[in-house]
Amino acid sequence: MILRSNTYHNALIADVLVTEANLTVSDNFKHEMLALIDEGNKFIIVNFEKVIYVDSSFLGALVASLKHAIPNNADIVVAGLNKDISDLFQLIRLDKAFKIYSTPQQAIESKKV
Amino acid sequence: MPGAISKEFIFNNNAGDIYHLLTDIIDYIERSGSVEEHTISKLKMVLVELLTNSLKHSGGDKSIMLITLSPDEITIRKTDTGNALAIKQEDGRLQWPLSPQQEFAAEIEVYRDLSCTLKARLNGACRVQFFIEEFEAYQMPDLSKLTEHFGFMILARACNSFEYEFDITNGTNNFTVALGKK
C-alpha cells in the first residue's frame, strides 16, 4: 500500500507512505490513485510530506492519474513538497499542471474560499 | 582536466541503495568545495534520474558513477552494460552505430511536452547530445496531453550538457552530464 487516504469535508487526503517515491512503487501508486478517482472522489490532495525524493517514474504516474481525473471531473492537487521536490516540479513545469500547497489543510482551505 | 579530482562510486542496481548512494555522492561533492544550494538541488535530481535509468535499463549487476570536480564544473559519467539506448523514431529505433547518413549534425525530436521539445543532436556514429528547445510562448497546458516521460527532460533541463555514448567496443552505455558549480 502506497497511499493512506482520509476524507476531510469534501476532500480526500492521500498520504504517500513511502519515503522514496521511485519506480519500485510508481505502478502501485498509479493503480491506487486511479481507484480513488474511480470511487468518485472529486478533490484529491496527494500529501508528500513523508517523501524525501521522487523520480521520473513516480511523476509519470502522478500525471497519468491527473489525466484519468480530468474526464472524471476530479481535481488532483499536491501538498507537503520538500524544497528539492518543489524545485523539481518547477524545473519540468509541473507547477503549471498541479496546484501546490504547503499543507493538506491549506489545500482544503483553498476550496472553501 | 587541470585542477580536477575524480572519484568512482558503484551502484549495485538495487533501488534500496539509491538514497544512500545519493547521500554519499552529495557529501563527497560538498566536502570538495563550495557548491551553491540550487546546484545541490539539481545534482540530487540528476543523480536520482541516472540511477533510475540504470534500474530500468541496465542488464548488468552494477553501474559505475564517475564524479569529476573541476574548479567550476561537476561532471557525472554513468557507465553500465545494459541495453543500448533506444531512441524511437517514426521509422523505427536508432541503431548504433548510426549510418553515415545519420551521423553528423542531424537533430531529431525525442519527445515533445507542452512547454518544450527534447531534441538529440547526432554527433558521430555512437554519440548523441540532448538539449531542450523551449516553445516561445508558454500557454496554460492542455493537461490531457501532458507527457508521462520526464527522465531525460529532467537531465536536459537540470544540466549544462547531457550526452550519451554507446561504446561499441565493449558494449557499455555512457551517460555524461555536466553542471556549473554556481
Side-chain angles (χ1 to χ4, degrees), chain A residues 30 56-65 67-68, chain B residues 56 111 113 144-151:
Chain A
K30 179 178 164 182
S56 54
S57 303
F58 201 89
L59 291 175
L62 183 65
V63 168
S65 305
K67 287 157 80 169
H68 187 70
Chain B
K56 276 186 180 173
Y111 56 69
D113 199 352
S144 66
K145 292 181 180 167
L146 274 178
T147 182
E148 295 170 27
H149 304 284
F150 294 105

Side-chain angles (χ1 to χ4, degrees), chain B residues 12-13 20 30 35 54 134 138 151 161 169 174:
Chain B
N12 291 318
N13 294 344
H20 288 301
E30 287 186 317
V35 181
S54 280
E134 302 279 358
Y138 183 83
S161 66
T169 60
N174 297 281

Side-chain angles (χ1 to χ4, degrees), chain A residues 20 23-24 52-57 59-60 63-64 67 70 83-84 87-88 91-94 96-97, chain B residues 15 18-19 37 41 44-45 48-49 52 55-56 115 134 138 140 143-144 146-148 150-151 154 157:
Chain A
E20 300 183 49
L23 81 169
T24 63
I52 301 169
Y53 73 83
V54 297
D55 75 1
S56 54
S57 303
L59 291 175
V63 168
K67 287 157 80 169
I70 292 168
K83 182 166 186 317
D84 291 335
D87 287 348
L88 179 56
L91 183 80
I92 54 173
R93 313 290 193 257
L94 281 185
K96 310 288 185 195
Chain B
I18 289 179
Y19 187 65
E37 188 182 334
S41 183
K44 291 177 185 172
M45 300 171 197
V48 165
E49 287 314 314
T52 298
L55 286 178
K56 276 186 180 173
S115 63
E134 302 279 358
Y138 183 83
M140 191 58 192
L143 299 177
S144 66
L146 274 178
T147 182
E148 295 170 27
F150 294 105
I154 291 169
R157 280 194 185 276

Side-chain angles (χ1 to χ4, degrees), chain B residues 87 106-110 118-122 128-131:
Chain B
I87 300 178
E107 288 181 6
I108 59 171
E109 183 174 315
V110 182
L118 177 69
K119 289 190 165 183
R121 185 175 296 118
L122 310 180
V128 292
Q129 294 171 312
F130 294 95
F131 62 100

